[in-house]
Coordinates of all heavy atoms in Angstrom, one line a residue:
M1 N 0.9 -1.2 0.0 CA 0.0 0.0 0.1 C 0.9 1.2 0.1 O 1.7 1.4 0.9 CB -0.9 0.0 1.2 CG -1.7 1.2 1.3 SD -2.8 1.2 2.8 CE -4.0 -0.2 2.5
D2 N 0.8 2.1 -1.0 CA 1.5 3.3 -1.1 C 0.8 4.5 -0.5 O -0.3 4.4 0.0 CB 2.1 3.5 -2.5 CG 1.0 3.8 -3.4 OD1 -0.1 4.2 -3.0 OD2 1.2 3.6 -4.6
D3 N 1.5 5.7 -0.6 CA 0.9 6.8 -0.1 C -0.5 7.2 -0.6 O -1.3 7.7 0.2 CB 1.9 8.1 -0.1 CG 2.9 7.9 1.0 OD1 2.8 7.2 2.0 OD2 3.9 8.7 0.9
S4 N -0.7 7.1 -1.9 CA -1.8 7.5 -2.6 C -3.0 6.6 -2.2 O -4.1 7.0 -1.9 CB -1.7 7.5 -4.1 OG -1.1 6.4 -4.6
C5 N -2.6 5.2 -2.0 CA -3.6 4.4 -1.3 C -4.1 4.9 0.0 O -5.3 4.8 0.3 CB -3.2 2.9 -1.3 SG -2.9 2.2 -2.9
R6 N -3.2 5.3 0.8 CA -3.5 5.7 2.2 C -4.4 6.9 2.2 O -5.4 7.0 2.9 CB -2.2 5.9 3.1 CG -1.8 4.7 3.8 CD -0.6 5.1 4.8 NE 0.6 5.1 4.1 CZ 1.4 4.0 3.9 NH1 1.0 2.9 4.4 NH2 2.5 4.0 3.2
Q7 N -4.1 7.7 1.2 CA -4.9 9.0 1.1 C -6.3 8.6 0.7 O -7.2 9.1 1.2 CB -4.2 10.0 0.0 CG -5.0 11.2 0.0 CD -4.6 12.1 -1.2 OE1 -3.9 11.6 -2.2 NE2 -4.8 13.4 -1.0
V8 N -6.4 7.8 -0.3 CA -7.7 7.3 -0.8 C -8.5 6.7 0.3 O -9.7 7.1 0.5 CB -7.6 6.3 -2.0 CG1 -8.9 5.6 -2.2 CG2 -7.1 7.1 -3.2
L9 N -7.9 5.8 1.1 CA -8.7 5.2 2.1 C -9.1 6.1 3.3 O -10.2 6.0 3.8 CB -7.9 4.0 2.8 CG -7.6 2.9 1.8 CD1 -6.7 1.8 2.4 CD2 -8.8 2.3 1.3
R10 N -8.2 7.1 3.6 CA -8.6 8.1 4.5 C -9.7 9.0 4.1 O -10.5 9.4 4.9 CB -7.3 9.0 4.7 CG -7.2 9.7 6.1 CD -5.9 10.3 6.4 NE -5.4 11.1 5.2 CZ -4.1 11.0 4.7 NH1 -3.4 10.1 5.1 NH2 -3.8 11.6 3.7
E11 N -9.8 9.3 2.8 CA -10.8 10.2 2.3 C -12.0 9.4 1.8 O -13.1 10.1 1.3 CB -10.2 11.0 1.1 CG -9.1 11.8 1.5 CD -9.4 13.1 2.3 OE1 -10.6 13.4 2.4 OE2 -8.5 13.6 3.0
L12 N -12.0 8.1 2.0 CA -13.1 7.4 1.4 C -14.5 7.6 1.8 O -15.4 7.8 0.9 CB -12.7 5.8 1.7 CG -13.5 4.8 0.8 CD1 -13.3 5.0 -0.7 CD2 -13.0 3.4 1.1
Q13 N -14.7 7.8 3.0 CA -16.1 8.1 3.5 C -16.5 9.4 2.9 O -17.7 9.7 2.5 CB -16.0 8.2 5.1 CG -15.7 6.9 5.7 CD -16.6 5.6 5.4 OE1 -17.7 5.8 5.1 NE2 -15.9 4.6 5.1
M14 N -15.7 10.4 3.0 CA -16.0 11.7 2.3 C -16.3 11.6 0.8 O -17.2 12.2 0.3 CB -14.9 12.8 2.5 CG -14.6 13.2 3.9 SD -15.6 14.5 4.5 CE -14.8 15.9 3.8
F15 N -15.5 10.8 0.2 CA -15.6 10.5 -1.2 C -17.0 10.0 -1.5 O -17.7 10.4 -2.5 CB -14.5 9.6 -1.8 CG -14.6 9.2 -3.2 CD1 -14.3 10.2 -4.1 CD2 -15.0 8.0 -3.5 CE1 -14.4 9.8 -5.5 CE2 -15.2 7.6 -4.8 CZ -14.8 8.4 -5.9
L16 N -17.4 8.9 -0.8 CA -18.6 8.2 -0.9 C -19.8 9.1 -0.6 O -20.8 9.1 -1.3 CB -18.7 6.9 -0.2 CG -17.7 5.8 -0.6 CD1 -17.8 4.7 0.4 CD2 -18.2 5.3 -1.9
D17 N -19.6 10.2 0.3 CA -20.6 11.1 0.6 C -20.7 12.2 -0.5 O -21.6 13.0 -0.4 CB -20.3 11.7 2.0 CG -20.8 10.7 3.0 OD1 -21.5 9.7 2.8 OD2 -20.1 10.9 4.1
G18 N -19.7 12.2 -1.3 CA -19.6 13.3 -2.3 C -19.2 14.6 -1.7 O -19.5 15.7 -2.2
E19 N -18.5 14.5 -0.5 CA -18.2 15.7 0.2 C -16.8 16.2 0.2 O -16.4 17.1 0.7 CB -18.6 15.5 1.7 CG -20.1 15.4 1.9 CD -20.5 15.2 3.4 OE1 -19.6 14.9 4.2 OE2 -21.7 15.2 3.6
S20 N -15.9 15.3 -0.6 CA -14.6 15.7 -0.6 C -14.5 16.8 -1.8 O -15.4 17.0 -2.7 CB -13.7 14.5 -0.9 OG -14.2 13.7 -1.9
A21 N -13.4 17.6 -1.7 CA -13.2 18.7 -2.7 C -13.2 18.1 -4.1 O -12.7 16.9 -4.3 CB -11.9 19.4 -2.4
D22 N -13.5 18.9 -5.1 CA -13.6 18.4 -6.4 C -12.3 17.8 -6.9 O -12.3 16.8 -7.5 CB -14.0 19.7 -7.4 CG -15.4 19.9 -7.2 OD1 -16.1 19.2 -6.6 OD2 -15.8 21.0 -7.8
E23 N -11.2 18.5 -6.6 CA -9.8 18.0 -7.0 C -9.6 16.7 -6.4 O -9.1 15.8 -7.1 CB -8.8 19.0 -6.6 CG -7.6 18.8 -7.2 CD -6.4 19.6 -6.6 OE1 -6.7 20.7 -5.8 OE2 -5.2 19.3 -6.6
L24 N -10.0 16.5 -5.2 CA -9.8 15.3 -4.5 C -10.6 14.2 -5.1 O -10.2 12.9 -5.3 CB -10.0 15.4 -2.9 CG -9.3 14.4 -2.0 CD1 -7.9 14.6 -2.2 CD2 -9.7 14.8 -0.7
Q25 N -11.9 14.5 -5.4 CA -12.8 13.5 -6.1 C -12.1 13.0 -7.4 O -12.2 11.8 -7.7 CB -14.0 14.2 -6.6 CG -15.3 14.3 -5.8 CD -15.9 13.3 -4.9 OE1 -15.6 13.3 -3.8 NE2 -16.8 12.6 -5.3
H26 N -11.5 13.9 -8.0 CA -10.9 13.6 -9.3 C -9.6 12.7 -9.1 O -9.5 11.7 -9.8 CB -10.4 14.9 -10.0 CG -9.8 14.7 -11.4 ND1 -10.7 14.3 -12.4 CD2 -8.6 14.9 -11.8 CE1 -9.9 14.2 -13.5 NE2 -8.6 14.5 -13.2
I27 N -8.9 13.1 -8.1 CA -7.7 12.3 -7.8 C -8.0 10.9 -7.3 O -7.5 10.0 -7.9 CB -6.9 12.9 -6.7 CG1 -6.1 14.3 -7.2 CG2 -5.8 12.1 -6.1 CD1 -5.6 15.2 -6.0
I28 N -9.0 10.8 -6.6 CA -9.5 9.5 -6.1 C -10.0 8.7 -7.2 O -9.7 7.5 -7.3 CB -10.4 9.6 -4.9 CG1 -9.8 10.2 -3.6 CG2 -11.1 8.3 -4.6 CD1 -10.7 10.4 -2.6
S29 N -10.9 9.2 -8.0 CA -11.5 8.6 -9.1 C -10.4 8.0 -10.0 O -10.5 6.8 -10.5 CB -12.3 9.4 -10.0 OG -13.5 9.9 -9.2
R30 N -9.4 8.7 -10.2 CA -8.3 8.3 -11.1 C -7.5 7.2 -10.5 O -7.2 6.2 -11.1 CB -7.4 9.6 -11.5 CG -6.6 9.4 -12.7 CD -5.8 10.5 -13.1 NE -5.1 11.0 -11.9 CZ -4.7 12.3 -11.7 NH1 -4.9 13.2 -12.6 NH2 -4.0 12.6 -10.6
H31 N -7.2 7.3 -9.2 CA -6.5 6.3 -8.5 C -7.3 4.9 -8.6 O -6.7 3.9 -8.8 CB -6.3 6.7 -7.1 CG -5.6 5.7 -6.2 ND1 -4.3 5.6 -6.3 CD2 -6.1 4.7 -5.4 CE1 -3.9 4.5 -5.6 NE2 -5.0 4.0 -4.9
L32 N -8.7 5.0 -8.4 CA -9.5 3.8 -8.4 C -9.4 3.1 -9.7 O -9.6 1.9 -9.7 CB -10.9 4.1 -8.0 CG -11.2 4.8 -6.6 CD1 -12.6 5.1 -6.3 CD2 -10.6 3.7 -5.6
G33 N -9.2 3.9 -10.8 CA -9.1 3.3 -12.1 C -7.8 2.4 -12.3 O -7.7 1.5 -13.1
D34 N -6.8 2.8 -11.4 CA -5.5 2.3 -11.6 C -5.2 1.2 -10.6 O -4.3 0.4 -10.7 CB -4.4 3.3 -11.5 CG -4.5 4.2 -12.6 OD1 -4.9 4.0 -13.7 OD2 -3.9 5.4 -12.4
C35 N -6.0 1.2 -9.4 CA -5.6 0.5 -8.2 C -6.8 -0.5 -7.9 O -7.8 -0.1 -7.4 CB -5.3 1.4 -7.1 SG -4.8 0.5 -5.7
G36 N -6.6 -1.8 -8.3 CA -7.6 -2.8 -7.9 C -8.0 -2.9 -6.5 O -9.2 -2.9 -6.2
P37 N -7.1 -3.0 -5.5 CA -7.5 -3.1 -4.2 C -8.3 -2.0 -3.6 O -9.2 -2.1 -2.9 CB -6.1 -3.2 -3.4 CG -5.1 -3.7 -4.4 CD -5.6 -3.2 -5.8
C38 N -8.0 -0.7 -4.1 CA -8.7 0.4 -3.6 C -10.1 0.4 -4.3 O -11.1 0.7 -3.6 CB -8.0 1.7 -3.9 SG -6.6 2.0 -2.7
H39 N -10.1 0.0 -5.6 CA -11.4 -0.1 -6.2 C -12.3 -1.1 -5.5 O -13.5 -0.8 -5.3 CB -11.2 -0.5 -7.6 CG -12.4 -0.6 -8.5 ND1 -13.0 0.4 -9.0 CD2 -13.2 -1.8 -8.7 CE1 -14.0 0.0 -9.7 NE2 -14.3 -1.2 -9.5
D40 N -11.7 -2.2 -5.1 CA -12.6 -3.2 -4.4 C -13.1 -2.7 -3.1 O -14.2 -3.0 -2.7 CB -11.8 -4.4 -4.1 CG -11.4 -5.2 -5.5 OD1 -12.1 -4.9 -6.4 OD2 -10.6 -6.1 -5.5
Q41 N -12.2 -2.0 -2.4 CA -12.7 -1.4 -1.0 C -13.8 -0.4 -1.3 O -14.8 -0.4 -0.4 CB -11.5 -0.6 -0.4 CG -10.5 -1.6 0.2 CD -11.0 -2.3 1.4 OE1 -12.1 -2.0 1.8 NE2 -10.2 -3.2 2.0
V42 N -13.7 0.4 -2.4 CA -14.8 1.3 -2.6 C -16.2 0.7 -2.9 O -17.1 1.0 -2.4 CB -14.5 2.3 -3.7 CG1 -15.6 3.1 -4.2 CG2 -13.3 3.2 -3.3
E43 N -16.0 -0.3 -3.8 CA -17.2 -1.1 -4.2 C -17.8 -1.8 -2.9 O -19.1 -1.8 -2.8 CB -16.9 -2.2 -5.2 CG -16.5 -1.6 -6.5 CD -17.7 -0.8 -7.1 OE1 -18.8 -1.3 -7.1 OE2 -17.4 0.4 -7.3
F44 N -17.1 -2.4 -2.1 CA -17.5 -3.0 -0.8 C -18.1 -1.9 0.0 O -19.2 -2.3 0.6 CB -16.3 -3.6 -0.1 CG -16.7 -4.3 1.1 CD1 -17.4 -5.5 1.2 CD2 -16.4 -3.7 2.4 CE1 -17.7 -6.1 2.4 CE2 -16.6 -4.2 3.6 CZ -17.5 -5.5 3.6
Q45 N -17.5 -0.8 0.2 CA -18.1 0.1 1.1 C -19.5 0.6 0.6 O -20.4 0.9 1.3 CB -17.2 1.4 1.1 CG -15.9 1.1 2.0 CD -16.3 1.3 3.5 OE1 -17.1 2.1 3.9 NE2 -15.7 0.4 4.3
R46 N -19.5 0.8 -0.7 CA -20.8 1.3 -1.4 C -21.9 0.1 -1.0 O -23.0 0.5 -0.7 CB -20.6 1.3 -2.9 CG -19.9 2.5 -3.3 CD -20.6 3.0 -4.7 NE -20.0 4.4 -5.0 CZ -18.9 4.5 -5.9 NH1 -18.5 3.5 -6.4 NH2 -18.5 5.8 -6.1
E47 N -21.5 -1.2 -1.2 CA -22.5 -2.2 -0.9 C -22.9 -2.1 0.5 O -24.1 -2.4 0.8 CB -21.9 -3.6 -1.3 CG -21.9 -3.9 -2.8 CD -21.2 -5.1 -3.1 OE1 -21.1 -6.0 -2.2 OE2 -20.6 -5.2 -4.2
V48 N -22.0 -2.0 1.5 CA -22.3 -1.9 2.9 C -23.3 -0.8 3.0 O -24.3 -1.0 3.7 CB -21.0 -1.7 3.7 CG1 -21.4 -1.3 5.1 CG2 -20.1 -3.0 3.7
R49 N -23.1 0.3 2.4 CA -24.0 1.4 2.7 C -25.3 1.2 2.1 O -26.3 1.6 2.8 CB -23.4 2.7 1.9 CG -22.2 3.3 2.7 CD -21.6 4.5 1.9 NE -20.7 5.1 2.9 CZ -20.7 6.5 3.1 NH1 -21.5 7.2 2.4 NH2 -19.8 6.9 3.9
V50 N -25.4 0.5 1.0 CA -26.7 0.3 0.4 C -27.5 -0.8 1.3 O -28.6 -0.6 1.5 CB -26.5 -0.5 -1.0 CG1 -27.9 -0.9 -1.5 CG2 -26.0 0.7 -2.0
L51 N -26.7 -1.7 1.8 CA -27.2 -2.6 2.7 C -27.8 -2.1 3.9 O -29.0 -2.3 4.4 CB -26.1 -3.6 3.1 CG -26.6 -5.1 3.3 CD1 -27.0 -5.7 2.0 CD2 -25.4 -6.0 3.8
I52 N -27.0 -1.2 4.5 CA -27.4 -0.4 5.7 C -28.7 0.4 5.4 O -29.7 0.3 6.2 CB -26.3 0.4 6.3 CG1 -25.2 -0.5 6.9 CG2 -26.8 1.4 7.4 CD1 -24.0 0.2 7.3
A53 N -28.7 1.1 4.4 CA -29.8 2.0 3.9 C -31.0 1.1 3.8 O -32.2 1.5 4.1 CB -29.4 2.8 2.7
A54 N -30.9 -0.1 3.1 CA -32.0 -0.9 2.8 C -32.6 -1.5 4.0 O -33.9 -1.7 4.1 CB -31.6 -1.9 1.8
K55 N -31.7 -2.0 4.9 CA -32.1 -3.0 5.9 C -32.5 -2.2 7.3 O -33.4 -2.6 8.0 CB -31.1 -3.9 6.3 CG -30.8 -4.9 5.2 CD -30.7 -6.3 5.7 CE -30.3 -7.2 4.5 NZ -31.4 -7.7 3.8
C56 N -31.9 -1.0 7.5 CA -32.2 -0.4 8.7 C -32.2 1.1 8.6 O -31.3 1.8 9.1 CB -31.3 -0.8 10.0 SG -29.7 -1.2 9.5
T57 N -33.1 1.6 7.8 CA -33.2 3.0 7.4 C -33.2 3.9 8.7 O -32.5 4.9 8.8 CB -34.5 3.2 6.7 OG1 -34.6 2.4 5.5 CG2 -34.5 4.7 6.1
D58 N -33.9 3.4 9.8 CA -34.0 4.3 10.8 C -33.3 3.7 12.0 O -33.3 4.4 13.1 CB -35.6 4.2 11.3 CG -36.5 4.8 10.3 OD1 -36.0 5.8 9.6 OD2 -37.6 4.3 10.0
C59 N -32.6 2.6 11.9 CA -32.0 2.1 13.2 C -30.6 1.7 13.0 O -30.1 0.9 13.7 CB -32.9 0.8 13.6 SG -32.6 -0.5 12.3
A60 N -29.9 2.2 11.9 CA -28.4 2.0 11.8 C -27.7 2.5 13.1 O -27.9 3.8 13.4 CB -27.9 2.8 10.7
P61 N -27.2 1.7 13.8 CA -26.6 2.2 15.1 C -25.5 3.2 14.9 O -24.7 3.0 13.9 CB -26.0 0.8 15.8 CG -26.1 -0.2 14.8 CD -26.9 0.3 13.5
P62 N -25.4 4.2 15.8 CA -24.3 5.2 15.6 C -23.0 4.5 15.6 O -22.8 3.6 16.4 CB -24.6 6.1 16.7 CG -25.8 5.8 17.4 CD -26.2 4.4 17.0
G63 N -22.1 5.0 14.8 CA -20.8 4.4 14.9 C -20.6 3.1 14.1 O -19.5 2.6 14.1
L64 N -21.6 2.6 13.4 CA -21.5 1.3 12.7 C -20.5 1.4 11.6 O -19.6 0.6 11.5 CB -22.9 0.9 12.1 CG -22.8 -0.3 11.3 CD1 -22.3 -1.5 12.0 CD2 -24.3 -0.7 10.7
M65 N -20.5 2.5 10.8 CA -19.5 2.7 9.8 C -18.1 2.7 10.3 O -17.2 2.1 9.7 CB -19.8 3.9 9.0 CG -21.1 3.9 8.0 SD -21.1 2.4 7.0 CE -19.6 2.6 5.9
E66 N -18.0 3.3 11.4 CA -16.6 3.5 12.0 C -16.1 2.0 12.4 O -15.0 1.7 12.2 CB -16.7 4.3 13.2 CG -16.7 5.9 13.0 CD -18.1 6.3 12.6 OE1 -19.1 5.5 12.6 OE2 -18.2 7.6 12.2
R67 N -17.1 1.3 13.0 CA -16.7 0.0 13.4 C -16.3 -1.0 12.2 O -15.5 -1.7 12.2 CB -17.8 -0.7 14.2 CG -17.8 -0.2 15.6 CD -18.5 -1.2 16.6 NE -19.7 -1.7 16.2 CZ -20.8 -1.1 16.3 NH1 -21.0 0.1 17.0 NH2 -22.1 -1.6 16.0
V68 N -17.1 -0.8 11.1 CA -16.8 -1.5 9.8 C -15.5 -1.1 9.3 O -14.7 -1.9 9.0 CB -17.9 -1.2 8.8 CG1 -17.4 -1.7 7.4 CG2 -19.3 -1.8 9.1
C69 N -15.2 0.3 9.3 CA -13.9 0.7 8.9 C -12.8 0.1 9.7 O -11.7 -0.3 9.3 CB -13.9 2.2 8.8 SG -14.9 2.9 7.6
A70 N -12.9 0.1 11.0 CA -11.9 -0.3 11.9 C -11.7 -1.8 11.7 O -10.6 -2.3 11.8 CB -12.4 -0.1 13.4
T71 N -12.7 -2.6 11.3 CA -12.5 -4.0 11.0 C -11.8 -4.2 9.7 O -10.9 -5.0 9.6 CB -13.9 -4.6 10.9 OG1 -14.6 -4.5 12.1 CG2 -13.7 -6.1 10.7
L72 N -12.1 -3.4 8.7 CA -11.4 -3.5 7.5 C -10.0 -3.1 7.4 O -9.2 -3.6 6.9 CB -12.2 -2.8 6.4 CG -13.6 -3.3 6.0 CD1 -14.3 -2.3 5.2 CD2 -13.5 -4.6 5.3
W73 N -9.7 -1.9 8.2 CA -8.5 -1.3 8.2 C -7.9 -1.1 9.6 O -7.8 0.0 10.0 CB -8.5 0.0 7.4 CG -9.1 -0.2 6.0 CD1 -8.7 -1.0 5.1 CD2 -10.2 0.6 5.6 NE1 -9.5 -0.8 3.9 CE2 -10.5 0.1 4.2 CE3 -11.0 1.6 6.1 CZ2 -11.5 0.7 3.4 CZ3 -12.1 2.0 5.3 CH2 -12.3 1.6 4.0
P74 N -7.6 -2.2 10.3 CA -7.2 -2.0 11.6 C -5.9 -1.1 11.6 O -5.0 -1.3 10.8 CB -6.8 -3.4 12.2 CG -7.1 -4.3 10.9 CD -7.6 -3.6 9.8
S75 N -5.9 -0.2 12.6 CA -4.6 0.7 12.5 C -3.6 0.1 13.5 O -3.9 -0.7 14.3 CB -5.0 2.1 12.8 OG -5.9 2.1 13.9
Ligands
ZN1 ZN1 -4.7 2.2 -4.1

């Protein structure tokens, strides 16, 4: 995992929320085109979000995404 991967993973939640800066969105999108592992992580995160939105619209426990992230990327 190189520095750009770390940056992508750090910004991933913002990226998926569409809240990162335009330039960063662009950088991440380009990186995802080149980097299979990061691309897979993004796809997985998207699926998790869809699943959460579909299954517990009103009851997603606070901090769930943080726990999912901590499981995926233990620091
Ligand atoms: Zn990467």
Side-chain angles (χ1 to χ4, degrees):
M1 179 181 289
D2 63 25
D3 280 348
S4 48
C5 290
R6 267 189 277 274
Q7 183 187 25
V8 165
L9 295 180
R10 199 169 51 232
E11 300 290 339
L12 194 53
Q13 300 303 321
M14 295 274 279
F15 176 75
L16 289 172
D17 287 335
E19 288 176 358
S20 43
D22 285 350
E23 192 190 340
L24 208 58
Q25 268 324 85
H26 186 70
I27 290 170
I28 292 174
S29 296
R30 201 174 48 203
H31 180 84
L32 295 178
D34 295 338
C35 182
C38 287
H39 180 82
D40 289 348
Q41 285 292 351
V42 170
E43 290 303 304
F44 177 75
Q45 287 284 320
R46 281 215 174 99
E47 282 174 26
V48 167
R49 286 180 169 228
V50 169
L51 216 64
I52 289 171
K55 297 225 185 270
C56 36
T57 311
D58 298 320
C59 65
L64 177 60
M65 288 309 294
E66 284 78 3
R67 287 207 302 281
V68 168
C69 291
T71 305
L72 291 173
W73 308 302
S75 48

